[in-house]
Structure formats: C-alpha cells, structure tokens
Amino acid sequence: MTKIAIQGVHGCFHEQAARLFYGNEIGVCECLSFEDLFVALDQGKASGAIMAIENTVAGGLLPNYSLLHKHSRKVKGEVFLRIQQNLMALSGQTIEEITEVHSHYMAIAQTREFFKSYPHIRLVESEDTAKSAADIMRNGQRRIGAIASELAAELFGLEILQASIETHKQNFTRFLILDDHITVSEKDIDKSSICFTLPHKTGRLSQVLSIFAFYDLNLTKIQSLPIPGKEWQYFFYVDLKFDDYGHYLEAMNAVRPLVDELTVMGEYKSYC
C-alpha cells in the first residue's frame, strides 16, 4: 500500500486531499509539522508527501515556500480541495445540547459567524481538527462537538450536526504533491514552479516578467520572501502555466542570464 506523509492526523484535510489525488487505497504517515514531511521522505517512512501551499481565504503558507527551497524534493503534482468545515459529535445529540466545540484555531476562525447563533457554545482551540474528532470518539465525550472534515466524521463514527458551517464557501486550499516515484510525461507537463533571485538592477523583475509574457506563459502565482542574511534581497517564487512545453523551455533559457539564481522546483500537470 502506498504510504503518504501528511501534516496532521488521520482524518485531517491533508489526508482528504491525498485521497483525492492518489485514491482511497493509501496509508498515511502522520507528521506534526511540515518540516517532518521531508524527514519522513528522507527516512523512507513514506513514499510521497502532500503539503498545503496556499488558501483562497488565508493566502500563501509562507514558511512552506522556504521549505520547498531548502529541500531537494521536486513538485510532481497539485490538488485543490474545498475546505468544508462540519460540526460533529457523538450521535443522538442536537446542537442545543452541545456546550463545547473543539478544533484547530483556523477552523474556529473560519466558523465564528455560525456560532453567533449558539452563544451557549464555548469554542476551545486544539492542535488539530481531526484529533478533536478522534478524542470525542476515544473518550466517549457527550455534549462536546468538533469542527472537522467529513472524512473525520466517517472515520471516527461521529454524526454531522451541521455541514458546511464555514463563513466563506469558496474556501479552497492548494496542495503540492512531493513524490519521486511519480513520472510526468513531457507531453503532459503544463505547469512549473520556480524560484529565482535578482541582481539590484533597475527594471530587472519587469524584464523577467516580460519574457514570460512573450512566450505565452501564464503567471498564476508570484510570492516574494526575504533572503536571510541579505538585506532587501528576495526569493521570488513563481508558478507558470503554459500550453507549449517548448515555449516554456525557451523562456527559461531567456531568463537565466537575467537572474542570479534559478531553481526549478517542479514541472507537472496542473490540476485544472
């Protein structure tokens, strides 16, 4: 069985996204941090990993861009998951009977509007959405609810008292697939994630972006992060979408003389 490293515990959104990409017949290697994903890969505890990189509500997960640059693992794919937060508890209860709801602080932040209609419920922050659901099942806790994924409710035998309680319904997270066992045919490659640095020269970033436009590359993401130890210098993380792989290669060749450092973090087939 393929084992995939996830950040979080069994039943979390990372596992739900992994199943969306790989299918349901996978095992998971639970990791406490995103750094641990790479440790799991290096130690052979998992054959692949999935890592959240950006969210349509919260924006980019900036530390994860640095992790991508730090480690040599290549991006081999991506998947987008709608983050649907669900209120769940042991079966046979109503929302009115629930006195506390536990979940990760982000899930609580995304659902506060819903709980304004239930002022008797105390919201309690925990380390993980799925773990909150698992604890209810494991301890047989009644009058306690959790905010977690539909997968968590299914795995831990909880009843969903109210589905999709998140404030923003168009809430999607993009996950990157890190798996050296995946081979992507050149004819299928239509997206690339790159990182580059620039010399201090007027208009240099504009010149690089103009080359991307000239070769019909669609810049779908650009993120800058400071370079540690170098004042006012930045890494630029860019996602490029294209229809012609040859044009993409030509653009990379044209860009290289203009940048100080260029790293291709992955070439893969886009999810959509």
Side-chain angles (χ1 to χ4, degrees):
M1 177 182 290
T2 302
K3 199 162 192 179
I4 305 301
I6 61 171
Q7 192 279 315
V9 304
H10 193 36
C12 67
F13 288 110
H14 268 75
E15 180 178 358
Q16 192 172 344
R19 290 184 177 212
L20 190 59
F21 185 85
Y22 287 96
N24 289 324
E25 300 303 316
I26 59 170
V28 295
C29 175
E30 299 174 344
C31 298
L32 295 178
S33 70
F34 287 110
E35 179 78 46
D36 287 344
L37 293 176
F38 296 93
V39 174
L41 290 174
D42 292 341
Q43 295 180 349
K45 294 179 180 179
S47 60
I50 185 166
M51 183 177 73
I53 195 65
E54 60 179 320
N55 176 267
T56 54
V57 175
L61 282 72
L62 302 187
N64 288 0
Y65 285 96
S66 297
L67 285 174
L68 279 176
H69 189 263
K70 173 183 175 182
H71 296 275
S72 59
R73 301 284 174 171
K74 295 295 186 181
V75 179
K76 295 297 184 71
E78 64 179 359
V79 65
F80 291 80
L81 177 70
R82 183 187 166 205
I83 304 301
Q84 183 173 327
Q85 305 286 6
N86 305 283
L87 174 60
M88 59 193 67
L90 291 174
S91 62
Q93 302 176 92
T94 65
I95 297 180
E96 287 69 26
E97 294 174 293
I98 301 300
T99 59
E100 285 186 7
V101 169
H102 298 214
S103 197
H104 189 268
Y105 80 92
M106 185 63 72
I108 290 175
Q110 293 175 355
T111 58
R112 284 194 185 276
E113 283 297 316
F114 171 82
F115 286 104
K116 285 182 179 180
S117 299
Y118 302 94
H120 69 284
I121 294 179
R122 186 166 75 98
L123 300 176
V124 180
E125 292 184 7
S126 67
E127 59 187 292
D128 188 84
T129 55
K131 185 178 184 300
S132 299
D135 287 344
I136 290 174
M137 179 273 293
R138 188 178 301 112
N139 300 321
Q141 297 172 312
R142 301 191 70 80
R143 304 179 69 82
I144 304 295
I147 307 167
S149 68
E150 185 178 358
L151 176 62
E154 176 186 337
L155 292 175
F156 303 124
L158 301 184
E159 179 182 350
I160 294 180
L161 303 182
Q162 185 69 50
S164 191
I165 64 173
E166 67 280 357
T167 302
H168 301 287
K169 302 304 180 184
Q170 294 302 311
N171 181 5
F172 289 84
T173 295
R174 176 180 172 231
F175 297 82
L176 300 180
I177 306 299
L178 310 172
D179 190 333
D180 290 341
H181 298 87
I182 294 176
T183 301
V184 185
S185 171
E186 182 178 304
K187 65 180 178 61
D188 292 327
I189 295 174
D190 63 358
K191 194 168 185 180
S192 175
S193 295
I194 66 174
C195 175
F196 58 85
T197 60
L198 295 172
H200 277 297
K201 293 187 177 180
T202 302
R204 186 51 57 92
L205 178 58
S206 176
Q207 291 172 349
V208 171
L209 299 183
S210 294
I211 289 174
F212 292 154
F214 178 80
Y215 284 98
D216 293 325
L217 307 186
N218 182 19
L219 191 150
T220 61
K221 175 75 176 182
I222 183 168
Q223 181 74 57
S224 63
L225 289 177
I227 301 176
K230 295 184 178 182
E231 294 83 1
W232 314 118
Q233 295 188 47
Y234 298 88
F235 289 115
F236 292 91
Y237 295 89
V238 170
D239 288 334
L240 300 167
K241 185 83 162 50
F242 43 86
D243 295 322
D244 189 311
Y245 185 69
H247 285 178
Y248 157 74
L249 294 180
E250 291 174 9
M252 291 298 99
N253 288 333
V255 161
R256 289 184 194 279
L258 301 177
V259 302
D260 285 336
E261 175 190 336
L262 175 62
T263 302
V264 177
M265 297 187 297
E267 299 173 349
Y268 49 98
K269 181 175 177 56
S270 62
Y271 183 72
C272 58

